[in-house]
Amino acid sequence: MTEVSVSRAPLLAAGRRQQMWGALWFLPLMIFSLIFLFLPSIGLFAGSVAGRHGPTLTYYADLFQAQYLDAYKVSIELSAATAVIGALAGLLLAWAVVGGGLPRVLRPLTLTFSGVASNFAGIPLAFAFTSTLGPVGLVTLFLKSLHLNLYAAGFSLFGFWGLVVTYLYFQIPLMVLLIVPALDHLHTWREAAMNLGATPLQFWRYVALPILRLPMLGALMLLFGNSFGAYATAYALTSGMINLVPILIGQELSGNVVFSPNLADAMAVGMVLIMVAIFVVYIVANRRSVRWQA
Amino acid sequence: MKRVSLGSVFVGILALLYFVVPLIATAQFSFQVGSGQPFWAAYASILRSAQFWQSLRLSLGMALAAVAIGLIVVVPAAYWAYLRAPRLKPWIEFVSILPFVVPPIVLVLGLVRLYATGFGPLSSRVTLLMGAYGVVSLPYMFRSVDTGLRSMNVKGLTEAALGLGASWVRVMFRIVLPNIRQSLLGGAFLTFALIMGEYAISSMLGFNTFGVYMLLTGQTEAQGAAALSIIAFILVWIFVAIMQWVSRDALTTVGGSR
C-alpha cells in the first residue's frame, strides 16, 4: 500500500506539470491567430456598431441603400453563377477523365493542369483573358472575321459575364480536384450496379446522384466562397469599375473615401457572415458525405 | 476494355479549347511587338527590369515568411495534439481553416483598422504583410502538417526518443520535422503558388509585390502584361508540379489571392 501511494504522488504532480507544459505547445497558434485573425475581426465588428453615442445598427441599416445592396446582389450572383456553372462543367470534365470515357493517360495530366489552373488567378489571369476575349483579343478578332461581333452583341469582358467566363478558369479546375475523389469511389459502384443489371440511367438516378449529392453540395459551397472573396481578378479586369463588395471595401481602404469607415466595417462583417453560412453548410455536407462513404 | 465514349470526347475537346486557347492567345499577344524587334522583346525587357526581380524576390521572401510562420505556429500545436491531447485536434483544425471565412480584402481591412495607427512593432507594414500571408496560408500549412503527422508514429517515436534521453528540442528537430519533411515541402510550394501573385493585401499595404508589379506594368504595356501572364503561369506550374511531385497529395487552394 505504502509503495503505491509513494509512487503515485510524483506521478500526479508530473501529470499536472505536463499539462501546463502542454498548453505551451499551443501558445504560438493561439497568439498568432489572436493577433492576426481574431482581434482584427472583432475590431471590424466593433467598428461596424460603434456610433457616436454608443452602439448602433445604423451602418447595417445603411447597407440596405441601393448601391450597397446592389453590390451584395452582384457579388452573390457572380459567385452563384460561377459556382453552379463551374460545378457542372467540372463534374462533366472530371467524369470524362476518370469515368473511363477518355484515355487513361489524360487523368494525371488533367489533375496536374487543374492544380495549376486553379492557382492561376488574379492579375495574370485577367491579363490572359484580356488577350483572349478583350476588345482586341485573339478570339474576339477571330470571331469578328467570322462576322460574329461579340462586343456588338452586348458581351464585354469587363462586365458580369466577362467575369464569369474568366472566373471559370479557376472554378472548373477547382471542381475537378474536389470531385475526382468522390468519382473514383463511384467507379466501383457503377461496376456493381452494372453487374446487377442496372441501366446507365438507373445507375445515375438511384446510385450516382444520391452518392454525389453531398460532395456536390460541399464543392458548390467552396466554389461559391472561392469567388465571393475574390478581389484581384475583378479589380484588374474592370479597373475597379464593377460594383462588388470586395471592390467597395478596397476603395475605402485605398483612400477613395466614398463612404464612412464604419460602413466599410459593416460591409466586411456582412461578407464574413455570408462566408460563415457557406462554410457551415460545407462542413455539414462534408461530414455527412464522409460518413456515407465509410 | 471500355471504348472511348463520344460524349466524353466532346467534353474533353471543349475543355481543351477553353483552357488552352487563352494561353495561346496570351502567348501570341506577347509576341506582337513592334517591327524590327525580335518576337521575345517583351520578355527580354521584363527580365532586364530590376523591378521585376525586386518584386519577385519580395513576394517569394514573403511566401517563405508565411511558410516559416506556419511551421512555428502549426507544428507544435498539431504535434502535441497528436501526442497527448487528441481532444484538442478538432479545435486546432477549426482555427487553422478559419481564415477561409475571412476574405483577404476583409483581413487586410481589419489589420489596417486595428494596427496601422500604432501598436508598436505590430504597426509596421512588413509585420502586417507577413502576418496576413501567414493567415492566408494557414489552412494549407495545417493540412500538410496534419498529413505528415498522420503518416508517422508520433507517440512511439517520441517515447522511444525521450526514453533514450533525447531532449524535446532534439525530438522536434531530429524526429518530427525530418519525418514530416515531405508533406511540409508540399505545403510550402503550395503556399509559394498562392502568395506569388497575391495582389489585394499587398497593394492595400503599399508593397510592390509581384502581383502589384504585374498590374502596374500591365497598365502601361499591353505586350508586357501578356508576357508577365505567361511568366506567372510558368511559375505557378513549377510550384504546383514540385508540390504534387513531393507530396502526392492533390492539395488545392480556395480563396487566397484570387
Side-chain angles (χ1 to χ4, degrees):
Chain A
M1 277 309 269
T2 43
E3 263 177 35
V4 171
S5 64
V6 163
S7 64
R8 234 183 213 172
L11 251 183
L12 271 178
R16 209 164 293 142
R17 203 180 314 140
Q18 212 162 50
Q19 263 181 356
M20 276 184 26
W21 278 107
L24 274 183
W25 293 82
F26 297 112
L27 218 53
L29 181 64
M30 275 155 55
I31 293 176
F32 177 76
S33 53
L34 190 72
I35 292 181
F36 290 103
L37 186 61
F38 293 119
L39 286 182
S41 308
I42 295 168
L44 285 180
F45 177 73
S48 72
V49 293
R52 246 172 234 169
H53 319 283
T56 173
L57 286 176
T58 333
Y59 304 111
Y60 288 96
D62 286 349
L63 288 186
F64 287 91
Q65 286 169 17
Q67 189 204 350
Y68 310 124
L69 205 58
D70 187 61
Y72 273 102
K73 198 172 135 261
V74 178
S75 277
I76 290 172
E77 282 171 357
L78 179 64
S79 307
T82 62
V84 171
I85 301 173
L88 291 177
L91 180 69
L92 280 176
L93 178 58
W95 183 247
V97 173
V98 305
L102 285 176
R104 227 155 238 276
V105 280
L106 287 179
R107 187 197 150 105
L109 202 69
T110 309
L111 289 184
T112 302
F113 184 84
S114 297
V116 178
S118 67
N119 281 303
F120 180 62
I123 314 296
L125 179 67
F127 288 165
F129 269 81
T130 309
S131 311
T132 312
L133 281 167
V136 291
L138 191 72
V139 171
T140 313
L141 294 181
F142 173 72
L143 290 176
K144 210 180 240 171
S145 73
L146 300 176
H147 302 288
L148 271 168
N149 195 333
L150 282 182
Y151 280 74
F155 173 84
S156 166
L157 181 64
F158 315 124
F160 183 85
W161 288 104
L163 283 186
V164 171
V165 172
T166 310
Y167 278 25
L168 286 176
Y169 204 85
F170 56 74
Q171 294 282 60
I172 296 175
L174 176 61
M175 182 65 187
V176 169
L177 291 175
L178 289 173
I179 207 72
V180 155
L183 290 183
D184 274 337
H185 192 67
L186 206 62
H187 204 59
T188 50
W189 284 96
R190 183 173 65 171
E191 273 160 27
M194 296 299 182
N195 285 341
L196 292 170
T199 63
L201 203 71
Q202 281 174 323
F203 162 69
W204 279 102
R205 170 76 185 76
Y206 296 108
V207 183
L209 284 182
I211 290 179
L212 283 182
R213 218 176 45 215
L214 287 171
M216 280 291 286
L217 180 66
L220 261 177
M221 293 300 120
L222 284 189
L223 261 65
F224 186 97
N226 197 29
S227 148
F228 191 64
Y231 174 82
T233 317
Y235 180 81
L237 270 183
T238 66
S239 315
M241 298 305 278
I242 191 165
N243 198 19
L244 295 174
V245 184
I247 299 279
L248 285 184
I249 295 176
Q251 279 177 1
E252 214 288 315
L253 252 175
S254 49
N256 307 341
V257 185
V258 279
F259 41 81
S260 81
N262 305 69
L263 188 59
D265 293 354
M267 290 194 107
V269 173
M271 270 194 102
V272 172
L273 290 181
I274 292 175
M275 290 299 283
V276 167
I278 294 289
F279 198 52
V280 167
V281 177
Y282 163 73
I283 286 182
V284 172
N286 203 33
R287 191 159 292 168
R288 291 246 174 102
S289 65
V290 167
R291 198 181 302 156
W292 165 243
Q293 283 177 6
Chain B
M1 272 310 283
K2 279 180 294 310
R3 65 207 157 79
V4 166
S5 86
L6 264 182
S8 294
V9 171
F10 182 67
V11 170
I13 288 174
L14 274 186
L16 193 70
L17 283 176
Y18 176 70
F19 285 105
V20 174
V21 167
L23 297 176
I24 294 173
T26 311
Q28 193 261 358
F29 202 74
S30 71
F31 296 143
Q32 279 181 359
V33 286
S35 55
Q37 293 186 60
F39 68 88
W40 63 83
Y43 294 87
S45 98
I46 285 168
L47 294 179
R48 267 199 309 267
S49 123
Q51 279 177 312
F52 167 78
W53 294 106
Q54 272 166 14
S55 65
L56 197 58
R57 215 174 304 138
L58 176 64
S59 281
L60 295 183
M62 287 295 143
L64 209 58
V67 170
I69 289 174
L71 283 183
I72 295 168
V73 156
V74 173
V75 171
Y79 168 70
W80 195 255
Y82 267 89
L83 189 66
R84 293 284 152 82
R87 278 178 305 117
L88 292 178
K89 227 193 107 205
W91 286 102
I92 296 169
E93 184 166 7
F94 178 71
V95 171
S96 300
I97 54 179
L98 214 51
F100 176 71
V101 301
V102 184
I105 193 80
V106 173
L107 180 66
V108 69
L109 179 75
L111 288 171
V112 167
R113 282 270 193 279
L114 195 58
Y115 300 121
T117 47
F119 255 94
L122 273 180
S123 65
S124 119
R125 291 183 307 131
V126 182
T127 317
L128 293 185
L129 187 64
M130 286 199 288
Y133 283 178
V135 170
V136 169
S137 54
L138 195 61
Y140 315 109
M141 290 308 292
F142 169 78
R143 225 191 108 171
S144 62
V145 170
D146 187 49
T147 312
L149 288 175
R150 196 177 310 155
S151 62
M152 73 178 271
N153 181 356
V154 174
K155 266 198 171 144
L157 287 177
T158 304
E159 272 157 21
L162 289 179
L164 292 170
S167 66
W168 282 109
V169 178
R170 209 175 160 80
V171 170
M172 196 40 98
F173 284 94
R174 287 296 173 83
I175 312 267
V176 178
L177 287 178
N179 263 293
I180 61 174
R181 194 182 49 203
Q182 260 198 323
S183 17
L184 278 183
L185 268 179
F189 279 101
L190 193 66
T191 301
F192 272 58
L194 182 75
I195 301 291
M196 195 256 312
E198 198 285 327
Y199 177 78
I201 296 172
S202 50
S203 74
M204 293 306 162
L205 290 174
F207 280 96
N208 256 323
T209 54
F210 189 51
V212 176
Y213 162 77
M214 280 194 282
L215 187 76
L216 293 179
T217 309
Q219 278 171 344
T220 53
E221 301 163 38
Q223 277 70 34
L228 277 171
S229 182
I230 296 291
I231 292 174
F233 187 83
I234 293 171
L235 285 173
V236 172
W237 190 292
I238 291 173
F239 292 142
V240 170
I242 299 177
M243 184 270 288
Q244 290 183 348
W245 180 57
V246 292
S247 78
R248 296 177 190 292
D249 190 4
L251 277 170
T252 184
T253 58
V254 172
S257 52
R258 283 162 186 100

